[in-house]
Amino acid sequence: MRSYQPDLTPPWKRSAPVPEVPAETDLVVEEVSTGFCGAVIRCEKTAQGPTVTLEDRFGKHRVFPMEPRGFLLEGTVVTLVRPKAAAPARPARTASGSLAVPGARARVARAGRIYVEGRHDAELVERVWGDDLRIEGVVVEYLEGVDDLPAVVREFSPGPDARLGVLVDHLVPGSKESRIAEQVSDANVLVVGHPYIDVWEAVKPSSVGIASWPVVPRGQDWKTGVCRALGWEENTGAAWQRILSSVRSYRDLEPTLLGSVEHLIDFVTAPESGV
């Protein structure tokens, strides 16, 4: 019979136990030895032991062994373990944080609309709120600026069953945009905005991998100035794709933008706006 062998290691030399965390799809962790941070995309069983594949915000993949105390989760050392069951085919929540509705069909478009200033604004709204908007039947269109906003509102002919929401960049006291917005007084139109010069700034710098958004001197094209200050290629289209690809969910956006878009969706889909 095998005899019991006590552990004679002094308590102060024993490693403290750490939590075991299932490596579920989309869980974001940091590998301790390399500092590589990314979301779990798959786990595999290999001859050398289980491995986990992480994807960073730029789409780069790295494979790591699932060793004890090998990862950081929100700053805490953890041991990743293989999930007991397969990850769900769809996330429990949408990118906006709303409960996902598996199998839900897009609703027929409402008469109401949400207008945003430009294509980048529209793409960002689609990336985070796209699933929600399709279920609600809300179409987002872009205007290429708001200089003609009063005329755009008149042409839309808003009403109780066709509300109009407008998202405006740089909506701060004294700005040109605020003066234009003040000209719209229709009860069936809601104009809200954010304080940033461009919607790029509404993406958290940490999500993009920068310390902060640069201050661009007045008189310079803001987007080109940002690329130059960050040492990026002066190609604003490529820069935007880099920024957009860093947005995985509402957590990557500033609260000011989140609140404004949620307000617009609520306004356009209110019961009195028709079904």
Side-chain angles (χ1 to χ4, degrees), residues 115-119 121 142-146 167-170 177:
Y115 285 169
V116 297
E117 285 206 43
R119 181 171 59 87
D121 306 68
Y142 65 90
L143 301 172
E144 294 292 3
V146 293
L167 180 70
V168 178
D169 296 343
H170 200 222
E177 291 81 2

Side-chain angles (χ1 to χ4, degrees), residues 23 40 42-44 50-54 62-66 71 80:
V40 173
R42 63 177 171 272
C43 295
E44 295 177 299
T51 64
V52 61
T53 302
L54 304 182
R62 291 279 299 273
V63 180
F64 298 100
M66 296 170 68
F71 298 87
L80 288 187

Side-chain angles (χ1 to χ4, degrees), residues 11 48 71 78 93 99 101-102 108 114 117 126 141 144-145 164 173 192 197 208 216 220 256 261:
Q48 291 73 37
F71 298 87
V78 299
R93 293 185 178 272
L99 288 174
V101 184
V108 175
I114 291 177
E117 285 206 43
E126 162 63 26
E141 301 178 11
E144 294 292 3
L164 177 62
V192 297
I197 295 173
V208 184
V216 178
Q220 289 187 23
T256 305
V261 176

Side-chain angles (χ1 to χ4, degrees), residues 2 9-10 57 64 68 79 87 111 116 122 140 147 166 176 190 193 217 231 252 273:
R2 189 174 180 178
T9 305
R57 65 173 62 91
F64 298 100
T79 296
V116 297
V140 175
D147 289 353
V166 184
K176 177 191 73 172
L190 175 65
D252 297 304
S273 63

